[in-house]
Amino acid sequence: MNKSFFFILLITLGSCTSERFQQEILVHNTSQFSLNDKPIRLRRKLLRVPNDSLGKNPVITFKLDTIPCQINDLDDDGIWDELFFVVDFNPNESKSLDLDWATGPFQYPIKTSVRFGKRVSAKAKVQPEVEEVMMADELPLTLGYQQYQTDGPSWENDKVGFRHYLDGRNAKDLFGKKTHKMSPETVGINKQGAVEDNYHVMEDWGRDILAVGNSVGLGGYALRAKDTLMRLGVTVDDSISNVARTTFKILAEGPVNSVLEYHYENWKPNDRSYTVHETTSIWPGMYGYQNTVSVQGLRGDEELAIGLVNINNDAPLEVIEENEEFVMVYTHDKQSYEKEWWLGMALILPKSHYMGYIEAPKKGQLSNTFLAQMKIQENQPVQYYAIGAWELSHPKFADRDAFKSYVVDLAHQLSAEIDVKINN
């Protein structure tokens, strides 16, 4: 998560490259829905990129307005492969965007961010990092201290924040936000630079609002085979993980998109062994994040089980199937810490994979969680969305029907197709 509200992008509208690199991008909302911050990704191979593109940056304009954008290197080969931006549309609206390339300083409002910090000893200060490799015996109980700021990486947009317990638990937690600005870099560390749980108290930006326990949190996952739940990782009471090697990397962090990557090697929940790859992406405008998971080593009898923590919830889980592409499962209750505030949580899941849901036991290695049962095939990605909407982020979320309407509308927005044509 960035220290400044502005992302300094090295571009200027006054020093563009020659016209032969300019392109018109025609985008058309094919749906009947109004779309806010609809993500658009353009592969590099579709674009005319200057040969001296080192130091050159994209500029997208619509009429006289500049649209914030960024380039992402998602395969981590040192060469960017994707141009990312978000656009608002009216129903069935078409827009003509101009893409050019330029140099020099330019500022975009920061609307996404990632924070990851680590200390190398109990007495060392936390330092910002962009990647990490953690072995099975590097858990807090074994080390004698928590090595990660906020127990692992945290990410946010202008609406909501999340964190991932990289310390072996691999659950997902929720930060409620009261501001559109990015939260301070010091969340999770004290003035001396040590790891400190200072995010369970209310601050101007918000706070951690979700009790996770031994669940997988909001959007975390497990595998299920022969009625047995297999947790990816362990609990806070364990000293050795069932994952031999965990790799984490921040793939992108910019004004309109942040992307995190996890790789879990030699995960042995019992007599089985798996390799898991996970990518998390967030962009402005929605109270949630996108997650993509694939698994190698499947025997064919497994289900992917995606979690919705159920610790402080007394209301029933509701399933909504009115969208052609997605199934939505959600809860709404005073289910934050100490049941202080109304909180809606949801999973937006691909209908082609959804097979119903179960509830985990109340005790054990994986507990207090609604689990969506999803079809999964060898090394084939499953992509879904995890949503968390707090009444102090917007008062409408105190109402169950209003939260339900938000989830349904978001699913329509996510499933809306955008036709893109690039004119050379």
Side-chain angles (χ1 to χ4, degrees), residues 9-36:
L9 189 61
L10 297 178
I11 62 178
T12 178
L13 297 178
S15 60
C16 294
T17 59
S18 64
E19 290 186 4
R20 64 192 178 93
F21 293 110
Q22 296 176 357
Q23 292 178 284
E24 181 188 31
I25 304 172
L26 299 174
V27 289
H28 172 60
N29 175 15
T30 65
S31 78
Q32 60 182 331
F33 302 104
S34 295
L35 307 179
N36 299 313

Side-chain angles (χ1 to χ4, degrees), residues 107-358:
Q107 295 179 330
Y108 289 143
I110 287 293
K111 292 189 176 181
T112 80
S113 188
V114 183
R115 176 194 297 113
F116 179 60
K118 178 185 178 180
R119 55 179 173 174
V120 296
S121 70
K123 295 183 179 180
K125 291 184 178 181
V126 171
Q127 299 295 328
E129 301 288 349
V130 297
E131 58 186 327
E132 170 67 338
V133 176
M134 190 194 76
M135 307 307 290
D137 60 351
E138 295 181 305
L139 304 185
L141 198 62
T142 304
L143 296 173
Y145 64 96
Q146 172 59 260
Q147 60 182 331
Y148 301 129
Q149 181 180 357
T150 64
D151 303 334
S154 59
W155 64 101
E156 65 180 300
N157 63 9
D158 54 331
K159 302 295 185 183
V160 66
F162 303 91
R163 64 184 174 118
H164 176 95
Y165 295 125
L166 194 65
D167 60 2
R169 291 174 284 174
N170 297 317
K172 314 280 191 194
D173 207 343
L174 177 64
F175 284 146
K177 290 183 63 173
K178 300 191 297 180
T179 176
H180 295 313
K181 296 180 180 180
M182 299 300 101
S183 59
E185 287 293 306
T186 54
V187 173
I189 55 177
N190 60 24
K191 293 181 179 180
Q192 289 71 44
V195 171
E196 181 177 279
D197 181 352
N198 56 18
Y199 40 83
H200 285 98
V201 294
M202 189 69 76
E203 300 290 350
D204 291 342
W205 64 269
R207 58 161 286 179
D208 183 314
I209 57 175
L210 188 64
V212 171
N214 285 346
S215 76
V216 292
L218 174 54
Y221 56 91
L223 285 180
R224 181 173 181 254
K226 298 179 181 179
D227 297 325
T228 298
L229 288 173
M230 296 178 285
R231 185 185 184 107
L232 177 65
V234 291
T235 72
V236 71
D237 297 319
D238 292 304
S239 57
I240 300 292
S241 179
N242 59 18
V243 180
R245 177 186 170 97
T246 299
T247 305
F248 165 76
K249 187 176 182 66
I250 300 173
L251 289 182
E253 182 183 20
V256 288
N257 187 216
S258 289
V259 184
L260 303 81
E261 180 183 60
Y262 309 86
H263 195 69
Y264 307 96
E265 299 177 42
N266 198 16
W267 167 35
K268 291 186 175 181
N270 42 40
D271 62 338
R272 303 179 182 219
S273 179
Y274 303 102
T275 296
V276 182
H277 188 79
E278 175 184 3
T279 305
T280 300
S281 182
I282 195 167
W283 54 83
M286 68 174 174
Y287 291 86
Y289 67 92
Q290 179 193 75
N291 220 46
T292 306
V293 176
S294 60
V295 182
Q296 292 179 317
L298 296 173
R299 296 185 180 180
D301 60 350
E302 298 94 344
E303 303 167 356
L304 183 67
I306 304 173
L308 197 63
V309 56
N310 191 33
I311 291 178
N312 286 328
N313 172 57
D314 297 317
L317 180 81
E318 185 171 345
V319 181
I320 310 169
E321 300 192 47
E322 63 184 68
N323 186 278
E324 292 184 2
E325 182 177 346
F326 294 115
V327 172
M328 295 144 273
V329 298
Y330 80 94
T331 58
H332 184 273
D333 200 347
K334 284 193 172 182
Q335 55 184 329
S336 60
Y337 266 106
E338 307 299 330
K339 297 183 71 68
E340 292 181 81
W341 301 286
W342 291 101
L343 172 63
M345 293 190 291
L347 299 173
I348 300 178
L349 307 158
K351 186 173 287 188
S352 59
H353 290 70
Y354 181 72
M355 300 186 297
Y357 71 90
I358 60 172

